[in-house]
Amino acid sequence: MSSSTEQDNGRRHGEFKVAGGKLVVVDLDVRDGKLANVSLSGDFFLEPDDALLNINQALEGLPEDAAGADIAAAVRQNLPADAVLFGFSPEAIATAVRRALAKATGWNDHQWEIIGPTPLSTPMHVAMDEVLAEEVGAGRRNPTLRFWEWETPSVVIGSFQSLRNEVDAQGAQKHGVTVVRRISGGGAMFMEHGNAITYSIYVPQSLVDGLSFAESYPFLDAWVMESLEKLGIKAWYQPLNDIATDQGKIGGAAQKRFSNGGMLHHVTMSYNIDADKMLEVLRIGKEKLSDKGTTSAKKRVDPLRRQTGLTREEIISTMMDTFSARYGAVPAGLSDEELARAEAKVAEKFGTAEWLNRVP
């Protein structure tokens, strides 16, 4: 079902399902550029009952081009002090409103594509992230899920990390590790062929309209949690960007938003990482581990192989099948033009010493 519709009488209808929460539905009219006859509904919980009237009153008369943050603020300001919202939030209401106005989109408003594991050099992988996010933002490519395949042992550091603080140069040289810097923030990732599952999602920012950064992570990875549950793993987001189980962290996510409206969200999950080698290549200090409930970086690596007993290929296949069934995605590939653009970006940016050492 589409997240936004216009009924025959001109009335607008928008829906938003909170990740791990409830469905929020908004029906409204637009008169002289302002919201009118607003009606909020859904399977959420709200106390006291008449707080629903307060929410509808807060939305009444707002400009139809109001930003999500302004809509949420208006709702919050008009709620009684003792109001309790369970399973939803003012931000969720704002997203439903924006969807009713076709300012925000839902998963089913897009034709999704999936690019299966494709071997590329590590600089090409990070360059391809920039290329495809730009293509989606410009409307030249449908929103896409892409799985990475590794050719060489690699470390990918976050956009704002210090190279010398994160990577042991001697360890990297000893193990033939390629080190690159990506465009998103977050921490360093150590990968070898077959030891990790990495994917990128390229979406228009309209898909996360009204969501905070913290809310967008589990929202964009709800399909992953469903996939893991099919494999017998109960996983959840540990704010801000860690994916965890009761046996420890299994993955981490990062994002980058582009000025043309495109957005990159990517995740790496451990499958069978050589922890001893990782510790020779990465500098992982006690401060980084201080809020993780462990004193050993080695203990943080909790491979999916041990938790599932399945091959990496079987896990990826389940993930691809889940995404396709949930969002109607179709198989796709990388075009010659996209590959050429990525190669140019490697030569000009991602493969250069200047980019790698931009934070020494």
Side-chain angles (χ1 to χ4, degrees), residues 119-308:
L120 294 172
S121 70
T122 310
M124 278 289 286
H125 273 306
V126 294
M128 190 60 71
D129 269 355
E130 186 167 89
V131 168
L132 296 186
E134 290 175 344
E135 289 294 287
V136 170
R140 292 187 293 264
R141 169 180 271 279
N142 288 328
T144 300
L145 167 66
R146 178 177 76 93
F147 284 87
W148 298 29
E149 191 62 86
W150 303 98
E151 289 187 334
T152 58
S154 303
V155 166
V156 182
I157 63 175
S159 179
F160 309 107
Q161 288 189 296
S162 162
L163 176 62
R164 62 171 171 259
N165 288 345
E166 298 298 327
V167 180
D168 185 302
Q170 290 184 334
Q173 184 176 18
K174 172 185 174 181
H175 294 292
V177 172
T178 299
V179 182
V180 300
R181 184 184 297 276
R182 63 179 185 268
I183 55 174
S184 62
M189 307 182 301
F190 170 72
M191 273 82 59
E192 293 181 285
H193 178 74
N195 79 351
I197 296 174
T198 298
Y199 64 84
S200 298
I201 303 178
Y202 314 99
V203 305
Q205 291 175 37
S206 61
L207 185 66
V208 296
D209 185 279
L211 301 182
S212 67
F213 275 89
E215 290 169 328
S216 69
Y217 280 89
F219 173 74
L220 290 172
D221 283 332
W223 65 277
V224 179
M225 304 308 166
E226 181 182 341
S227 300
L228 293 174
E229 191 167 347
K230 290 179 180 178
L231 299 170
I233 298 176
K234 177 62 177 177
W236 59 86
Y237 253 94
Q238 189 167 291
L240 171 68
N241 63 332
D242 285 351
I243 299 175
T245 72
D246 57 5
Q247 297 184 49
K249 174 181 174 179
I250 61 172
Q255 293 182 356
K256 172 70 175 180
R257 304 189 185 203
F258 292 75
S259 59
N260 75 344
M263 177 178 172
L264 162 68
H265 173 92
H266 50 189
V267 170
T268 290
M269 294 190 291
S270 305
Y271 176 71
N272 188 32
I273 288 180
D274 184 333
D276 291 325
K277 187 183 294 186
M278 179 184 73
L279 291 176
E280 290 186 36
V281 175
L282 296 182
R283 301 183 189 275
I284 304 177
K286 293 180 179 179
E287 181 64 23
K288 185 177 180 68
L289 299 170
S290 63
D291 66 342
K292 306 296 182 182
T294 180
T295 58
S296 169
K298 187 170 181 177
K299 291 179 181 177
R300 293 184 65 212
V301 181
D302 197 10
L304 286 169
R305 186 183 70 163
R306 183 167 71 241
Q307 295 194 41
T308 65

Side-chain angles (χ1 to χ4, degrees), residues 28-38 59-65 101:
L28 56 84
D29 296 323
V30 176
R31 294 177 182 169
D32 299 325
K34 295 183 178 181
L35 310 190
N37 297 327
V38 182
L59 298 173
E60 199 77 18
L62 288 179
E64 66 172 321
D65 59 355
L101 297 167

Side-chain angles (χ1 to χ4, degrees), residues 66-114:
D70 294 334
I71 297 171
V75 169
R76 187 171 282 110
Q77 184 176 358
N78 211 46
L79 283 169
D82 61 345
V84 177
L85 286 67
F86 184 76
F88 75 125
S89 65
E91 286 72 22
I93 297 169
T95 298
V97 170
R98 296 271 295 176
R99 286 186 173 183
L101 297 167
K103 307 291 186 182
T105 59
W107 292 93
N108 294 328
D109 292 319
H110 303 283
Q111 174 59 66
W112 291 89
E113 297 180 352
I114 295 183

